[in-house]
Amino acid sequence: MKKLALVLALLLAGCSHAPKPTYTPPPTTTPQEPVPPSTPPTQAPPEFQPPSGARGRIDWLDVGIVIDADSARIGATAGASVQGVVEVTHLSAGQSLVARAASGRVLIQPVPGTRELAIYEVADTLVLVPDSPNSFVTIGAKPYRGELRLYRSPNGRVTVVNRVGTEEYLRGVLPHEIGRLDQRTIEAGKAQAVAARTYALSYVGRRADQGFDVYATVEDQLYGGITDEGPLTDRCVRETSQLVATYNGRLIRANYFSTCGGVTANVEDVWPESPLPWLRSTLDADHEGDTAYCAASPQFRWTEIWSVPEFLDIVNRNYPRFIGALPPGGAHRLDGVRVTARSPSGRVAELVIDTDIGPLPVHGDSTRRVLVRPASSQGAGGGGTLLRSSLFKIGIVRARDGVPIAVVATGAGYGHGVGLCQWGALEMARRGRDFHQILGHYFAGIEIKPANESKG
């Protein structure tokens, strides 16, 4: 059955209009590096003007680690001072504080030690500051540089923020964003460092109402604290210290993702917003017809196959969440799936799903959220349930009597496609390009300069 499905998928490859650009097929070998994740959010944040108090801040960031939780446990590896709770002023090595939300209040209890039964209220903000540079704050069992700030969230629950130097923050970001580096790919790591630094600093203060600047998750950039820091990624941060990407002197929004599939996208073709001059579609190669830089990615080409019941189920579940309401009971019959418009990069601009309740249009990158991957393939090659990209062909396989039996998508790339292609950057580095050239290829018209020389 699996072999039959694969044959059907291959036959279907020509059943609908292919993306306009022509690409070289990927090699048959599998690269050694892990697939860099596609980290920016599936919905682009709007252009942002930071609050006056945050504008121009470049030296440190507030990173949201625990957000609106029922509880959190914090401590330090070798002792820390406690500010904000009169009854508890210091933690020794091995001690920790457990915070719990209770009826709109945040209560803490020191454990272990002599105060196991004592419970105190956090009136405003509890600050945990390590005793020395060799002591690190902890959340659960995970260590972080800098200090911690714990407080009651606007919803009356527990939020824990890591206040950390910008360069130290990047040391905890790069290993998760660019994957494993070697000596040949150092320049790609440097490009990632500049992009990640620019991304973070361009949104300083954007979540001031929540008490932090950026999430520690793929909502912004994946940040793992000290645990996964490494010498090569540390070197990339150090050798690009304070450097950011700017356009007309201002920090750009430095979007990036895993694999473009051969061509990147204009920002306005993926998300409903105005064009940005540095986020323009570009071939992922030196010249048209060349092998794409990202061709070594396991996600360069892919196929997904849904049974018709499975496909209708995901449409009925996800269309109301991301697009609009459906009639009670949703769709029961699938008549067709067709791409009615494509962007200049070949990505799906409009997909129409024909059903017994009428045509259901889906636009741009929303196709990735509505057409989640089949259960049989979720977690493969980087994980997650989003469709790997919006650069795909799609059609229906029918039985001899014309009844639809499967939906097949054949696609290219992994991620939204806007900005820097991480697998492309790795190959550009292998071909001898430096980080200035890599960033200039993916972000049109930018300048690289120290953060303190930008306009914020």
Side-chain angles (χ1 to χ4, degrees):
M1 188 66 184
K2 289 184 178 178
K3 289 184 178 179
L4 175 61
L6 180 57
V7 170
L8 290 171
L10 292 173
L11 289 173
L12 186 63
C15 73
S16 59
H17 295 295
K20 188 175 179 181
T22 301
Y23 310 123
T24 304
T28 56
T29 56
T30 300
Q32 296 301 308
E33 299 95 338
V35 179
S38 176
T39 53
T42 57
Q43 290 183 297
E47 286 303 286
F48 172 76
Q49 292 298 322
S52 58
R55 189 174 289 114
R57 168 157 59 82
I58 62 174
D59 294 332
W60 54 271
L61 297 162
D62 279 339
V63 186
I65 309 292
V66 177
I67 312 297
D68 260 357
D70 290 329
S71 64
R73 183 169 182 150
I74 64 174
T77 59
S81 65
V82 181
Q83 303 168 12
V85 181
V86 174
E87 298 87 350
V88 184
T89 59
H90 189 267
L91 291 181
S92 302
Q95 274 193 312
S96 59
L97 296 173
V98 175
R100 294 184 177 86
S103 303
R105 300 184 299 162
V106 172
L107 307 177
I108 64 162
Q109 181 176 11
V111 293
T114 59
R115 302 187 182 93
E116 287 90 341
L117 301 179
I119 297 177
Y120 309 103
E121 183 174 356
V122 178
D124 185 13
T125 302
L126 182 154
V127 181
L128 199 63
V129 181
D131 286 343
S132 72
N134 296 321
S135 178
F136 305 108
V137 290
T138 59
I139 303 176
K142 203 166 190 177
Y144 295 86
R145 299 181 186 278
E147 64 185 44
L148 294 183
R149 307 175 78 81
L150 182 149
Y151 54 89
R152 183 172 62 86
S153 73
N155 295 325
R157 290 155 64 82
V158 178
T159 288
V160 183
V161 171
N162 179 203
R163 178 165 291 184
V164 61
T166 302
E167 303 304 298
E168 286 68 36
Y169 162 75
L170 293 171
R171 293 173 66 184
V173 166
L174 252 65
H176 298 279
E177 295 297 352
I178 196 60
R180 187 168 64 232
L181 298 174
D182 56 32
Q183 293 298 329
R184 295 187 305 150
T185 54
I186 286 293
E187 293 300 314
K190 292 180 184 179
Q192 179 68 74
V194 174
R197 183 182 294 109
T198 306
Y199 183 94
L201 293 182
S202 67
Y203 288 112
V204 163
R206 69 170 164 151
R207 292 191 174 91
D209 60 334
Q210 294 178 265
F212 53 91
D213 300 311
V214 292
Y215 283 102
T217 67
V218 294
E219 180 72 17
D220 285 312
Q221 301 182 126
L222 193 58
Y223 168 61
I226 297 171
T227 306
D228 295 313
E229 292 177 359
L232 291 182
T233 48
D234 279 359
R235 172 183 165 186
C236 293
V237 174
R238 184 173 62 253
E239 293 185 2
T240 63
S241 178
Q242 302 296 322
L243 293 181
V244 293
T246 66
Y247 188 91
N248 285 343
R250 294 190 178 278
L251 295 170
I252 69 169
R253 194 181 79 206
N255 293 109
Y256 55 89
F257 58 96
S258 170
T259 306
C260 71
V263 61
T264 68
N266 295 322
V267 64
E268 70 275 14
D269 295 333
V270 174
W271 297 307
E273 59 180 82
S274 300
L276 295 174
W278 62 88
L279 292 177
R280 315 313 303 153
S281 176
T282 185
L283 285 173
D284 192 45
D286 289 328
H287 307 285
E288 187 146 2
D290 288 358
T291 301
Y293 292 132
C294 66
S297 168
Q299 311 303 323
F300 186 62
R301 296 291 181 268
W302 48 263
T303 299
E304 301 288 5
I305 305 172
W306 299 265
S307 68
V308 167
E310 183 177 30
F311 189 82
L312 285 171
D313 179 62
I314 66 168
V315 170
N316 285 330
R317 282 188 289 110
N318 293 326
Y319 198 91
R321 290 179 61 199
F322 300 113
I323 309 298
L326 295 176
H332 295 89
R333 188 185 72 241
L334 180 65
D335 297 326
V337 183
R338 52 200 168 95
V339 175
T340 57
R342 291 190 181 275
S343 70
S345 69
R347 286 168 171 80
V348 174
E350 182 181 69
L351 177 76
V352 175
I353 304 166
D354 293 309
T355 73
D356 58 313
I357 58 173
L360 305 177
V362 187
H363 296 94
D365 206 53
S366 294
T367 55
R368 299 178 60 217
R369 291 177 283 145
V370 172
L371 304 187
V372 298
R373 296 163 67 182
S376 59
S377 72
Q378 288 179 15
T385 59
L386 294 180
L387 193 65
R388 278 175 267 204
S389 80
S390 60
L391 183 57
F392 63 87
K393 299 177 290 181
I394 192 166
I396 289 181
V397 177
R398 298 178 184 271
R400 289 184 179 181
D401 60 2
V403 175
I405 57 174
V407 178
V408 181
T410 57
Y414 183 53
H416 49 67
V418 178
L420 182 143
C421 172
Q422 293 168 310
W423 273 88
L426 290 166
E427 180 59 24
M428 290 187 74
R430 291 188 190 98
R431 298 188 192 184
R433 310 300 199 277
D434 65 24
F435 74 93
H436 288 270
Q437 293 170 310
I438 293 170
L439 290 166
H441 177 76
Y442 292 110
F443 299 113
I446 63 165
E447 291 183 284
I448 308 298
K449 58 175 59 178
N452 60 8
E453 294 181 12
S454 74
K455 299 175 185 176

